[in-house]
Amino acid sequence: MKRTLFAALLLCLLLSACGGETVPPAPEEENPPSAAPEAPPEPEPTLEELEEAALRALMESMGLEKKVGQLFFVKVPLENALEDVATYHLGGYLLFGKDTRDKTANELIQNIASWQTQAVEYDTGVPLLIGVDEEGGSVVRVSSNSRIRSEKFSSPQRLLKKAEGELTAVKEQTREKSILLKALGFNVNLNPVADVSTNPGDFMYDRTTGGDESKAAAYVYAVLEVQFRYGLGSVMKHFPGYGNNRDTHNGAAVDERPMDTFWNQDFVPFQSGIDFGKRHPLGPAVLVCHNIVNCMDPELPASLSPEVHRILREDLGFDGVVMTDDLDMGAVKTYAAGGNAAVLALQAGNDLVVTTDYRTQIPRVIQAVKDGELAESIVDDACLRVLRWKLELGLLERTEEGKLVSALVP
């Protein structure tokens, strides 16, 4: 045993002395390659993504004529109001004094319900916007009817004076107004007036708070807050701010004020409302006036001006629905060559066209798309915003299958 160990030791010494290398150990058997890691599961789509997909699917199912019809928020015609809902695939009806005068609350409810049934059951399946100007004071399309309310809603100035500048009375009467309008079937109030006017001689003065931009901004936010709480759509008007300009119902008004005035004064209440919309799921729409604002666009009324709409979208960051003031006003007719006011309004960036002349204007818009004068993508973008607003208003709901359907029971 000792001799064997001595021989092994001697062999190792000899190999070391001769510079020999030790024999490396046999390599270990390589591990078999492991399976590739599984890809992480796709994240579940968010509610916003699901709603956006459903909105786009609904819009794409409509076809050109129905998409264009959705962009018209029109005055109720004297005849064939029911039939025209489906004939022109209308986006909504806007009621004025003639439509509410001498009617009982039940008669008004039945009229509105019949139009909604026509839209949902016999046309697009998408409920109508039903709007009204119920500002309080001199513009009261519903409360001017004593069969519906015993007295007219008060003007902003009167309410603010009652509470010595506090917004308590404004909020309380906006609450009463919202409850009444919703009960009658309205889903949009073209209110609040966001214009700033401190001069009693101004055309717009009586419809404003009569105070500076801070007072107007606080008023706008308070009205939006209450109307939102009751699910009533709001429309801020009249962008970019009416100022001291004359009435545009009968002719053009040219605003000579510098851009600084708008940033420091007129835009402040609108920015207040835009900020509100970013914090709440039901934001306001914005109505654009017909004033020619030289510092923005000296050639076109604001309602037809791409630059005015660019300022609203890009500089102020508004991403909701934009609508025209009534295109039948005298201030627009001169600028709408060939009677294509609605085409120009959509090209400028409006989503909704307010007009009486929809029976002429809707076919012209459709033809303008077919002729390549108006890009169909403009119609699509506007239609998506209108449908999204209707979803926010609770007029549409998403089914388990992911489709959008009417939320109204005919």
Side-chain angles (χ1 to χ4, degrees):
M1 182 71 176
K2 289 180 179 178
R3 189 174 295 170
T4 304
L5 289 172
F6 177 79
L9 179 61
L10 182 61
L11 179 61
C12 288
L13 290 171
L14 287 171
L15 288 173
S16 299
C18 296
E21 297 180 358
T22 57
V23 179
E28 295 182 7
E29 185 177 350
E30 293 183 4
N31 293 328
S34 58
E38 292 185 6
E42 289 290 327
E44 290 291 325
T46 64
L47 176 61
E48 290 76 11
E49 290 170 337
L50 291 171
E51 288 180 346
E52 191 66 24
L55 285 166
R56 188 166 291 276
L58 176 58
M59 184 268 294
E60 290 174 350
S61 72
M62 287 183 166
L64 178 60
E65 287 76 11
K66 290 183 178 180
K67 288 188 296 187
V68 170
Q70 283 297 302
L71 311 186
F72 281 76
F73 195 11
V74 305
K75 291 182 177 180
V76 181
L78 294 174
E79 297 178 349
N80 299 320
L82 184 63
E83 294 80 2
D84 280 6
V85 169
T87 300
Y88 294 96
H89 319 298
L90 298 174
Y93 269 145
L94 183 56
L95 281 70
F96 286 79
K98 67 178 180 59
D99 306 305
T100 63
R101 189 177 298 118
D102 300 328
K103 287 185 171 60
T104 64
N106 188 58
E107 287 171 338
L108 191 53
I109 289 168
Q110 293 305 316
N111 278 352
I112 292 173
S114 70
W115 302 332
Q116 292 290 25
T117 299
Q118 184 79 342
V120 171
E121 291 195 347
Y122 302 106
D123 189 31
T124 59
V126 177
L128 298 164
L129 299 171
I130 302 293
V132 69
D133 294 282
E134 190 66 27
E135 300 171 9
S138 60
V139 181
V140 280
R141 314 298 191 196
V142 173
S143 62
S144 57
N145 179 352
S146 60
R147 301 181 75 182
I148 294 177
R149 193 173 192 270
S150 59
E151 60 180 357
K152 299 176 183 177
F153 287 112
S154 302
S155 69
Q157 291 182 38
R158 184 178 176 189
L159 292 173
L160 289 168
K161 285 177 182 176
K162 269 186 180 182
E164 298 181 357
E166 294 296 323
L167 292 164
T168 306
V170 169
K171 291 180 178 180
E172 180 56 34
Q173 193 155 109
T174 303
R175 174 183 172 277
E176 293 177 24
K177 191 184 300 182
S178 301
I179 291 171
L180 174 61
L181 293 180
K182 288 286 288 185
L184 293 171
F186 293 96
N187 47 55
V188 174
N189 188 8
L190 277 70
N191 188 54
V193 172
D195 302 294
V196 178
S197 175
T198 58
N199 183 354
D202 293 346
F203 166 70
M204 193 59 67
Y205 177 80
D206 289 342
R207 296 167 64 183
T208 72
T209 64
D212 63 13
E213 62 277 2
S214 298
K215 189 174 185 179
Y219 168 76
V220 164
Y221 201 95
V223 171
L224 295 181
E225 194 171 37
V226 176
Q227 292 188 165
F228 159 74
R229 193 180 308 143
Y230 289 92
L232 186 65
S234 301
V235 181
M236 298 188 292
K237 55 189 183 184
H238 308 76
F239 189 81
Y242 215 90
N244 58 355
N245 291 282
R246 58 173 292 225
D247 182 5
T248 53
H249 285 79
N250 302 314
V254 179
D255 195 327
E256 303 282 4
R257 295 176 298 157
M259 195 69 190
D260 283 351
T261 299
F262 286 92
W263 278 113
N264 296 328
Q265 175 181 294
D266 296 72
F267 287 170
V268 174
F270 287 99
Q271 191 67 68
S272 175
I274 291 169
D275 292 344
F276 176 90
K278 292 177 179 177
R279 300 187 186 105
H280 298 83
L282 175 55
V286 170
L287 180 146
V288 184
C289 74
H290 299 318
N291 295 344
I292 298 171
V293 186
N294 275 348
C295 66
M296 301 180 199
D297 185 343
E299 303 296 329
L300 290 169
S303 56
L304 304 182
S305 168
E307 176 59 14
V308 170
H309 288 77
R310 186 202 66 76
I311 290 169
L312 176 59
R313 293 284 190 204
E314 297 180 14
D315 295 349
L316 274 70
F318 181 67
D319 61 2
V321 168
V322 180
M323 68 182 72
T324 69
D325 207 342
D326 185 0
L327 289 185
D328 293 309
M329 290 184 183
V332 173
K333 292 180 179 178
T334 305
Y335 298 87
N340 288 332
V343 173
L344 294 175
L346 294 171
Q347 288 173 332
N350 292 284
D351 304 306
L352 281 172
V353 174
V354 177
T355 184
T356 302
D357 190 27
Y358 62 89
R359 291 168 179 157
T360 299
Q361 294 295 321
I362 288 177
R364 284 180 176 170
V365 171
I366 293 169
Q367 193 60 47
V369 174
K370 291 179 177 178
D371 292 344
E373 179 186 353
L374 177 65
E376 189 165 358
S377 60
I378 291 177
V379 172
D380 288 352
D381 290 346
C383 186
L384 276 174
R385 275 191 286 268
V386 171
L387 292 176
R388 188 177 297 112
W389 199 33
K390 289 186 175 185
L391 177 63
E392 292 169 355
L393 285 166
L395 302 179
L396 294 169
E397 61 185 1
R398 197 166 61 86
T399 66
E400 291 182 1
E401 294 78 22
K403 294 183 179 180
L404 287 181
V405 297
S406 169
L408 302 184
V409 179

